[in-house]
Amino acid sequence: MTAGAILLILGFFFLGGSALFAIYWAAKTGQFSNVSEGAATIFDEDEPVGTPTDRFPAKKSQ
Amino acid sequence: MNSPSLLSSLNPSTEPDALDSIERAEIDASTRIPVLLFFASAIFWLLVGSSLGLVSAWKMTNPALLDSFSWLTFGRLRPAHLNAVIYGWATPAAIGVGLWLTARLCRIPLLHSKLLISAAIIWNLGILLGICGILIGDGRSIEWLEFPAYSTPILFIAYAFIGIWTIIMFRFRKPGHIYVSQWYLFAAFLWFPWLYATANILLVWQPVQGPAQGAINWWYAHNVLGLWFTPIGLAAAYYFIPKVIGRPIHSYYLSILGFWSLALFYSWNGMHHLIGGPFPAWMVSASVVASMMMFIPVITTAINHHMTMRGHFESLQWSPTLRFIVFGAVSYTVVSLQGSSMAIPALNTITHFTDYTIGHAHLGLYAFFTMILFGSMYYIVPRLVGWEWPSATLIRWHFWLSAVGILLMVGALTLGGLLQGLALYDVASTFRSSLEFANPFRVLRGISGFILLAGQLVFAFLFVQMLLKLGAPKKGPALFTKPAEQTNDTVAI
Amino acid sequence: MNKLPLIFVGIFLTFTSAWIGLVAYPTLNLGEMQPLPDEETGGVLPPTTSGLAVAGQKVYASSGCVYCHSQQVRWSPLSTDIAKGLGPRQTVARDYLREKVAFLGTMRTGPDLSNIGARQPDTNWHHQHLFEPRTVTDWSIMPSYRYLYKTQKIEGQPSSDAVQGLRGPHAPKLGYEVVPSEEAKALVAYLLSLKKNYKLPESPEPSEP
């Protein structure tokens, strides 16, 4: 068996294993539940839902 | 802020705490030096890469242009252009956006910024060496992997620092839900080294036999788009669209579904670049099927972004970030559907070896990804330097030059490519006619290159002004400006 | 979610399948492919190539020829490659065993070169064409590769390898000659070696073109 083949097999288990682990972990820690709350995690009291946070710079006259 | 101890990260508390504006500003400020370093070098390489592309474009209509120098021959300028924009512009800019988003979404100030600063410096040295290597004739002519073998290890070391940093940040993040953008970012930051290492080992350092190379080459090249640029672009879109308009994403469930289906189907796509090529038929067929399956993540993303924007389209008038990002998100849908259709063998046999493919590549890399990067930078940079963009007019110029330039380029190459492809396909037609059909469209493409470069120069000018804090002073950083104060702004398109 | 283990297995397989199919399989299978014995000549298929042609492949790579020229004949009838005379049959994996880098290419801005050695077997034609493409094909948009050639004063006898019949603005003046560099000679040797007109059992020539 060549070095390449060994590398490929190791790579397979490493990649497959980490994908498997990622999904298992995500499901276990509830990343797939409470999705409506998840969507709101980027908002907080200071920049709540309903507050735009970007606009063109104001003209000098202001 | 001290790094959390190993013990505390093994047993993190479960109380998510809301950010206040000071804490958020602290997090943003902690990313300042590395992110600005990545952005500045990226913009430099964008200008270099676009100039290289512009010269190669005009060489196709004027073959005698600058033809006495070996280092300016088309066959070296074109890969130098590609590598400068992929590894010099898009990758560092994506890393910069990724770093900033990671710090914000992990809700902790950036840890180990020296690691990132070293990574940025080493990366740029690797790019410089690689581009010069291609121009002096050390290029490998393996598409997307042209850098000579002496520059790729440098890039890999630089990248390894970033990969390690991502894992540390993810580990030490504040507890709470992992926002969908984090999924995309974390995955992209781990996929890229795997792709890059595999392709470099099998094609550059220990090359496999000729016949196997094409498959690995296109597995790599396509996945750089699909598993590196696309996830970062979507991570930015999933963060900035809701954040800018102040409305949560329409269906968070769909966004998660989109993430996993992208991961599953995209990696099979690469072989559609080799339809009809010297490979077992099942490999190509599998890629064609996977390309069709890409409709799932693409449609879910398109619906989601559209539904989030619905009723807020007037926001495009007042937000530079949103205008660029929505342009990018729409282009993502278009380019993905076009890409899937190009895998259909009947269409592929016409478009395969033509300018149509070049148009498709620019639709993906410029209209989608580069526009998303520009939009993200419009949001991020003011929060890093504590200064407002000096001129709304110039931002509008940048947007319209980019939008018109890229639409002209893609339109010209698509039409020209179809005519060229039909001439190449038609048995009664000569090769010469394929050149004659394509030529006027190549002239248009050359003109569009000037327009795009002009837009980039405007952006570079704005960016330098930001770094030097030129222009009218604002009352405070953009971050702290209350929406009530902003409502009086002049609205113009 | 009691079917969770099943979902895991499904995702595990899909996620890594692409890597197995598009990386591991070609590396292990196509990467170990061997030439076939040629019963007619006692040699092997694909035929071995000269050392100069191997050196020429490096020049092909460093000049970036692959960005305009493909080296593959696609299947018939889905493509018209065979009918358009790019080659007598579809190219298959075994055809590329001799290539350090398989320059399959993704563009046909210029013509396909799978069989250029059979279509244009004349060495001097290739030198003329590389030196100034528009002297042999006036509508060509190929760049000139003059930098691979040296214009020198003829001293005594003209060099035996001087390029003959050059025209155009860069043609040598009276008393001067254009000689190819080692790189140009290697590149032409490589181009002449591009002949996929031998028979392979896995790629029969189609009965009707």
Side-chain angles (χ1 to χ4, degrees), chain C:
Chain C
M1 287 289 269
N2 53 2
K3 285 183 183 161
L4 216 55
L6 201 67
I7 297 171
F8 286 164
V9 173
I11 290 173
F12 174 81
L13 290 179
T14 338
F15 198 79
T16 48
S17 65
W19 202 69
I20 298 171
L22 301 186
V23 178
Y25 169 81
T27 303
L28 299 178
N29 190 322
L30 301 178
E32 304 291 324
M33 188 177 261
Q34 296 298 320
L36 292 176
D38 183 359
E39 281 157 17
E40 285 172 32
T41 63
V44 287
L45 291 175
T48 50
T49 47
S50 72
L52 196 58
V54 174
Q57 216 208 8
K58 286 204 181 107
V59 185
Y60 192 90
S62 83
S63 310
C65 308
V66 71
Y67 300 105
C68 293
H69 296 282
S70 61
Q71 282 188 34
Q72 48 174 313
V73 181
R74 292 174 294 168
W75 68 52
S76 198
L78 192 65
S79 85
T80 52
D81 287 2
I82 296 170
K84 294 209 81 167
L86 303 187
R89 58 174 176 82
Q90 187 198 344
T91 49
V92 290
R94 206 183 303 275
D95 283 314
Y96 300 91
L97 281 185
R98 299 288 167 219
E99 311 276 334
K100 276 223 171 62
V101 179
F103 292 119
L104 300 174
T106 49
M107 290 298 285
R108 282 188 185 156
T109 308
D112 183 86
L113 298 181
S114 315
N115 288 291
I116 188 66
R119 275 207 305 275
Q120 285 292 358
D122 178 8
T123 307
N124 194 60
W125 183 91
H126 281 287
H127 282 306
Q128 274 182 308
H129 186 237
L130 287 168
F131 184 81
E132 186 52 71
R134 274 154 299 285
T135 58
V136 288
T137 313
D138 60 1
W139 44 266
S140 170
I141 62 164
M142 184 167 123
S144 156
Y145 290 89
R146 278 198 307 283
Y147 60 84
L148 294 176
Y149 294 82
K150 205 170 103 188
T151 305
Q152 61 184 27
K153 199 167 182 166
I154 302 174
E155 286 167 8
Q157 288 295 311
S159 310
S160 58
D161 54 2
V163 184
Q164 304 298 315
L166 287 173
R167 294 180 286 116
H170 300 285
K173 293 190 203 81
L174 200 65
Y176 286 80
E177 64 182 358
V178 167
V179 287
S181 61
E182 288 307 309
E183 283 182 316
K185 285 181 195 169
L187 180 57
V188 170
Y190 173 68
L191 291 173
L192 292 176
S193 78
L194 293 175
K195 281 182 277 196
K196 293 175 177 64
N197 50 4
Y198 46 86
K199 288 183 168 51
L200 281 182
E202 63 263 45
S203 177
E205 292 182 18
S207 45
E208 54 182 277

Side-chain angles (χ1 to χ4, degrees), chain A residues 21-50:
Chain A
F21 178 76
I23 294 168
Y24 175 74
W25 178 86
K28 186 103 175 164
T29 56
Q31 302 295 334
F32 297 134
S33 48
N34 298 329
V35 287
S36 54
E37 286 170 36
T41 51
I42 58 170
F43 300 98
D44 50 52
E45 284 173 11
D46 190 56
E47 285 182 0
V49 172

Side-chain angles (χ1 to χ4, degrees), chain B residues 162-192:
Chain B
I162 296 162
I164 292 166
W165 175 88
T166 317
I167 296 171
I168 296 174
M169 284 295 278
F170 198 73
R171 191 79 193 90
F172 287 131
R173 74 190 186 283
K174 282 267 174 69
H177 188 89
I178 297 175
Y179 188 62
V180 60
S181 294
Q182 266 172 300
W183 277 112
Y184 279 108
L185 288 171
F186 191 63
F189 276 121
L190 296 186
W191 276 328
F192 183 71

Side-chain angles (χ1 to χ4, degrees), chain B residues 20 36 163 417:
Chain B
D20 58 27
L36 285 179

